[in-house]
Amino acid sequence: MVSVLSSDVPASPTFEMAEVQPSIWRAYPIFIVAFTAHYNGPRFYGELKGRSLSVFTKVAVPAFLLCASIYIACAVAGYHSFGSKTCPSILACYDIQSLPAAIARLAFAVVMVTSYPIAFFAIRDSLIQLIFPLHVGRFGTVFHGLTVGMVALTATVGILFPKISFVLDINGAAFGSLIVYVLPSLMFLKLRADTTGKADAVHSTSHVYGGRSNFSGMGDDQLSESMDDSGSLVPPLTPMNCLAMFIALMGVVSGVMGLYQTILSELEPTK
């Protein structure tokens, strides 16, 4: 929009079509950061009216498509205007006195102010549940101390690394790959392995007890032990499990390549 409304920014003569090169992994972390909303997925699902996987899919897919359309339009317009001289933050390329650019900067500030708490709440709640489970739902010393510490840490990182592209690249390559590809795949495989193990345990135990499916006469420890013995660390190689393994492996490889290209670009001398 800024490119269209700013008549003082003509099309760049260095505009070129993209080529497939190893440096393409340099853009991978930005794509990951742009589409990473997974840490708030459980919260969104829990607040959805009439929630189900089908309803959640109908909400999530159009939202991601809308974001993708806006991202692509902004990226193409910005590169079309500045070509090889495109700034890491596209708004930095525009004249500070440009009215459309000033409006865009104000809108970006509003987005940052309102999106920070969304990510912050999810991370803080997760840390409390993992490290301080006895303090879940309590607004005491742990809650306030963790809040102050996290805000101070993120503010310090923002001050020490004013180049936002570097921070986003590291975040996307390392943590984005884990959140989007690796961890969901591993969770899926673990659930499938647990489900298969419990089903096998129930099936085998029913044979021991004369084919009965009623386990009311069995103790909890006895049934649990049977399920644990039947569990498997490696899920069966079904098509869905193989797909999950492939996605996890792709996340690891992509994250490593993204980190490598990010660090390599920072170490290269400025031309």
Side-chain angles (χ1 to χ4, degrees):
M1 183 183 70
V2 175
S3 298
V4 174
L5 296 179
S6 298
S7 57
D8 55 333
V9 182
S12 172
T14 59
F15 179 84
E16 298 177 358
M17 296 300 295
E19 298 180 0
V20 179
Q21 300 177 355
S23 59
I24 195 173
W25 292 104
R26 182 71 174 79
Y28 168 79
I30 297 297
F31 281 100
I32 291 296
V33 171
F35 291 100
T36 301
H38 297 59
Y39 43 77
N40 275 313
R43 181 189 297 271
F44 294 156
Y45 181 81
E47 296 176 355
L48 189 63
K49 183 178 181 180
R51 57 182 178 272
S52 66
L53 290 179
S54 59
V55 174
F56 187 72
T57 302
K58 293 178 181 178
V59 173
V61 171
F64 275 101
L65 291 177
L66 176 61
C67 290
S69 301
I70 297 175
Y71 293 155
I72 293 173
C74 293
V76 172
Y79 182 68
H80 182 267
S81 299
F82 303 104
S84 60
K85 296 183 179 180
T86 303
C87 304
S89 177
I90 189 63
L91 293 177
C93 292
Y94 293 94
D95 186 359
I96 194 173
Q97 296 181 351
S98 173
L99 179 60
I103 296 175
R105 292 188 183 97
L106 178 60
F108 184 74
V110 173
V111 170
M112 294 301 296
V113 171
T114 55
S115 61
Y116 178 85
I118 297 177
F120 184 87
F121 292 159
I123 298 174
R124 182 182 58 190
D125 292 347
S126 299
L127 289 177
I128 292 177
Q129 293 178 10
L130 290 173
I131 304 176
F132 308 101
L134 297 179
H135 293 268
V136 174
R138 297 182 180 180
F139 299 93
T141 304
V142 172
F143 179 87
H144 296 297
L146 192 60
T147 300
V148 173
M150 291 176 59
V151 172
L153 176 61
T154 53
T156 302
V157 172
I159 294 173
L160 295 178
F161 298 94
K163 189 177 180 182
I164 190 173
S165 61
F166 178 74
V167 178
L168 292 178
D169 288 347
I170 295 296
N171 179 42
F175 302 106
S177 295
L178 287 174
I179 295 175
V180 175
Y181 294 115
V182 180
L183 294 181
S185 300
L186 295 180
M187 292 177 185
F188 175 80
L189 293 173
K190 183 63 169 63
L191 290 173
R192 291 292 291 267
D194 290 347
T195 303
T196 303
K198 290 180 181 180
D200 292 341
V202 172
H203 180 70
S204 61
T205 310
S206 64
H207 281 288
V208 174
Y209 283 81
R212 292 176 297 168
S213 59
N214 184 4
F215 301 100
S216 58
M218 296 179 59
D220 294 337
D221 295 338
Q222 186 177 5
L223 181 58
S224 176
E225 181 180 358
S226 177
M227 290 181 177
D228 292 340
D229 293 339
S230 300
S232 175
L233 294 177
V234 180
L237 297 179
T238 62
M240 289 299 297
N241 290 346
C242 291
L243 178 61
M245 295 177 187
F246 172 77
I247 293 175
L249 179 61
M250 182 184 68
V252 173
V253 174
S254 301
V256 171
M257 291 298 297
L259 279 174
Y260 172 76
Q261 288 294 331
T262 297
I263 297 174
L264 185 65
S265 64
E266 289 296 319
L267 296 178
E268 289 179 350
T270 304
K271 297 181 180 180

